[in-house]
Amino acid sequence: MSESSAPSQSGLREFWAQLPVEGRWLLSTVAVQTLGRGLTLPFTVIYLHEVRGISLDLAGLLMAFIAVVALVVTGPGGALTDRYGARRMLLWGTSAQLVGCVILAFATTPAVVALAFVFLGFNFGVAWPAFNALVAAITTGPARQQYFGINFALVNLGIGLGGVIGGLYADVTRPSTFTVIFLADAASMLVPIGLLVGPLRHVHGRAEKPEGESAAAGSYLTILRNPAVLWVTVLTFLGVFIGYGQMEAGFPAFARQVSQVSTSVIGFAFAVNTAVIVGLQFFVLRRITGRRRTRILMVMAALWALAWLVLGLTGFAAGSVAAAGGVLAFHAAFALGETLLQPTIPAITNDLAPDHLRGRYNAVNAGAFQSGTILGPVVAGFMLGHHWSAAFIAMIVVGCALMVALAFAVERRITPSVNGLQDGGPAPEPGTVTPAQAKGSAGTVS
């Protein structure tokens, strides 16, 4: 895949044409397999609290438990990805997600919910490093950033459609509707499982360790001693804590308890999120290609601060049309920030990583993500459970300001190339495969 295949230069059609077969398969089923996730993502906290009668504090702790499990398995998962390949780890993780959703569909007690979340956490901890390592093995340079961005848009297309369907169908007065959507989430896992045991059964994503390199060179301690990796890890943690950790737990809780909007409004808010991402991701990719990724993250932090301020203002008009509009506006601004975040952090991480350590580097980044999702729901549940809504919003806005400072710190510690700046050489002709790309593609097929 050449730079000219990226959507910023030749359009989406040319990007698709230049993708290896493995990349096409991975992208072609993303929206379908994430549809089930969208059915349940906006409503899990509501399901636990309003349907199963679990207190908001405990619901927040249970949501955080998913990330605790994920964090525990992320390190071993990254090492196993480097050793055995991404396909095998993705298969195990996706199968665990299926089992967890089935258990959650019928869970009526906190203990059974926790059991279901063990399986969900295992998937989140194992599958993310494996998937990113696989993507990095089949793409390189600017095209890698483009791939992560396009994949993110397709993920949100599936999640957003699922959110609309779930919002229209799920009803807190009819617990069976929640059982149905969690079973549908489980069924959607059959798509990636079929892909991994079928068309992608020969894909592994491994790279051999350089001859003479010691085992200590690939340890997590050695990786974290790299200042660039350490600061990117801290930045990821904070971004997830004030972003996704709050969007999945803090946002729906705030929207229901403070803004006092219906579940349908929450579902449509996620649809707005999807519409913005799908509608603007390709435009954003064109605008950010060749620009400093750290500066892009600073703009993202400003957008997120604005989004949370808008959500906070809805509390002054609780239950009104204005509150519903504010909830929708929150997700529009938040989504625009997401289009800046998702192509950049994975690209920085994988451009820093040696080929044979991609699993571990992505595991470090995933560990930071999981840590943020552990703390996020706990803090949201505690603060909103005690009606500290104003302090909750203020905390997130301050966190956005800290993200800007961390992005500056990262910028001083990574090379211009890792930061997304072009080398200045002429772009290869369409269809040209560079030696590095040939190496990456060769590492994906056994």
Side-chain angles (χ1 to χ4, degrees):
M1 199 186 313
S2 64
E3 290 182 16
S4 61
S5 68
S8 61
Q9 298 181 19
S10 302
L12 181 60
R13 182 176 300 177
E14 287 74 16
F15 173 79
W16 178 262
Q18 294 295 328
L19 273 180
V21 174
E22 297 84 5
R24 295 181 191 179
W25 273 113
L26 286 173
L27 277 178
S28 63
T29 60
V30 166
V32 176
Q33 63 186 268
T34 55
L35 181 66
R37 177 67 174 145
L39 288 172
T40 60
L41 175 63
F43 311 112
T44 302
V45 170
I46 295 170
Y47 170 65
L48 298 180
H49 180 52
E50 299 189 34
V51 177
R52 298 309 185 190
I54 298 173
S55 70
L56 196 58
D57 283 357
L58 182 54
L61 287 171
L62 286 169
M63 291 290 288
F65 181 61
I66 299 176
V68 171
V69 175
L71 184 61
V72 169
V73 303
T74 291
L80 290 172
T81 295
D82 289 333
R83 183 171 182 179
Y84 296 111
R87 188 193 74 90
R88 186 176 299 181
M89 301 309 297
L90 279 171
L91 187 57
W92 279 104
T94 306
S95 299
Q97 176 80 6
L98 187 154
V99 173
C101 288
V102 171
I103 295 174
L104 191 57
F106 301 100
T108 58
T109 66
V112 178
V113 171
L115 175 62
F117 284 174
V118 168
F119 287 94
L120 300 188
F122 178 86
N123 173 61
F124 294 155
V126 166
W128 183 8
F131 179 79
N132 281 0
L134 194 60
V135 170
I138 62 176
T139 58
T140 187
R144 180 176 294 158
Q145 178 171 287
Q146 301 286 357
Y147 192 108
F148 281 122
I150 292 170
N151 180 79
F152 177 65
L154 293 174
V155 165
N156 278 271
L157 177 61
I159 289 178
L161 290 175
V164 172
I165 296 170
L168 293 174
Y169 179 73
D171 184 348
V172 296
T173 65
R174 294 188 296 139
S176 62
T177 60
F178 286 86
T179 299
V180 169
I181 63 174
F182 279 104
L183 289 177
D185 191 0
S188 70
M189 294 300 101
L190 296 174
V191 175
I193 289 173
L195 187 66
L196 292 167
V197 300
L200 298 184
R201 63 186 179 277
H202 299 302
V203 177
H204 58 71
R206 287 195 310 270
E208 296 299 327
K209 183 175 69 173
E211 188 175 347
E213 181 173 301
S214 66
S219 71
Y220 283 111
L221 183 58
T222 301
I223 291 171
L224 285 170
R225 282 174 178 163
N226 181 336
V229 174
L230 181 60
W231 282 101
V232 170
T233 301
V234 175
L235 176 61
T236 301
F237 165 78
L238 181 59
V240 173
F241 170 73
I242 64 174
Y244 292 109
Q246 304 304 338
M247 185 187 73
E248 294 190 15
F251 162 72
F254 192 101
R256 286 289 286 166
Q257 304 297 323
V258 181
S259 307
Q260 297 181 15
V261 301
S262 67
T263 56
S264 295
V265 170
I266 294 173
F268 275 108
F270 277 86
V272 168
N273 181 284
T274 298
V276 171
I277 291 171
V278 174
L280 294 181
Q281 183 70 84
F282 305 115
F283 170 78
V284 169
L285 287 170
R286 289 194 297 270
R287 299 292 296 174
I288 68 176
T289 298
R291 299 181 183 275
R292 287 183 176 87
R293 292 164 177 164
T294 48
R295 305 295 172 88
I296 295 166
L297 291 171
M298 295 174 198
V299 175
M300 180 223 74
L303 283 169
W304 277 7
L306 175 63
W308 286 104
L309 284 171
V310 169
L311 184 65
L313 291 174
T314 63
F316 294 101
S320 68
V321 173
V327 167
L328 298 178
F330 162 80
H331 255 297
F334 189 92
L336 184 57
E338 289 181 87
T339 65
L340 299 174
L341 173 70
Q342 290 296 334
T344 51
I345 289 290
I348 290 173
T349 299
N350 284 281
D351 285 352
L352 281 170
D355 290 345
H356 67 292
L357 295 177
R358 292 201 190 282
R360 290 174 174 86
Y361 271 69
N362 281 289
V364 168
N365 189 256
F369 191 101
Q370 304 302 347
S371 297
T373 53
I374 289 171
L375 189 59
V378 172
V379 172
F382 180 82
M383 296 185 75
L384 296 178
H386 288 79
H387 308 289
W388 297 349
S389 56
F392 173 74
I393 297 296
M395 173 197 68
I396 296 176
V397 173
V398 171
C400 290
L402 290 175
M403 278 196 72
V404 174
L406 286 171
F408 272 118
V410 170
E411 184 172 305
R412 293 195 297 268
R413 291 167 173 84
I414 60 177
T415 65
S417 176
V418 171
N419 207 11
L421 297 182
Q422 305 300 310
D423 294 332
E429 293 297 322
T432 301
V433 179
T434 68
Q437 293 162 346
K439 175 184 175 184
S441 295
T444 65
V445 182
S446 58

